[in-house]
Every structure is written in structure tokens, then in C-alpha cells.
Amino acid sequence: MVKEIKKSGKRYFECRECNFVYKNEEIAKECEDYCKKHHSCNMEITKYSIQI
Ligand SMILES: [Zn+2]
């Protein structure tokens, strides 16, 4: 389950495995699934991560 973060009235989603944060819940889920399976990050997914 990705972690939902509320900040400045906006919602963000954090991968609990690698702690990258995404605006898009679907991408955060993909990241978490990938991280759990492979125990590493997928650059094609983490490129969508954001700094909050
Ligand atoms: Zn991840």
C-alpha cells in the first residue's frame, strides 16, 4: 500500500519501499510493486518522482 501524503492542500503518494514520492497514485503503486519484487528501483518509474 502506498502512503498518502497531504501537503499544501495537495495529495502525493509515497512508495513505502524506496520512499520516492509521486503525484500519480498509479505510478507510486507501480514503483512499490517493482521495488518489492526486485528490491531495487526502476529508473523508468523513478524518473516520475518528485520532490516535495
Ligand atoms: Zn519504490
Side-chain angles (χ1 to χ4, degrees):
M1 247 341 247
V2 297
K3 181 178 163 189
E4 191 177 324
I5 298 167
K6 288 198 179 86
K7 198 177 177 186
S8 309
K10 287 180 180 152
R11 291 159 78 224
Y12 301 97
F13 303 91
E14 184 184 318
C15 168
R16 286 186 192 267
E17 298 294 313
C18 69
N19 301 116
F20 275 110
V21 176
Y22 302 90
K23 276 187 198 168
N24 185 311
E25 187 176 5
E26 290 305 308
I27 296 174
K29 278 180 187 164
E30 268 182 49
C31 183
E32 200 170 84
D33 286 346
Y34 189 96
C35 289
K36 273 183 190 161
K37 222 181 201 173
H38 302 273
H39 299 287
S40 70
C41 291
N42 183 344
M43 288 294 290
E44 288 301 308
I45 299 173
T46 58
K47 71 182 179 187
Y48 296 109
S49 68
I50 53 159
Q51 296 287 329
I52 58 166

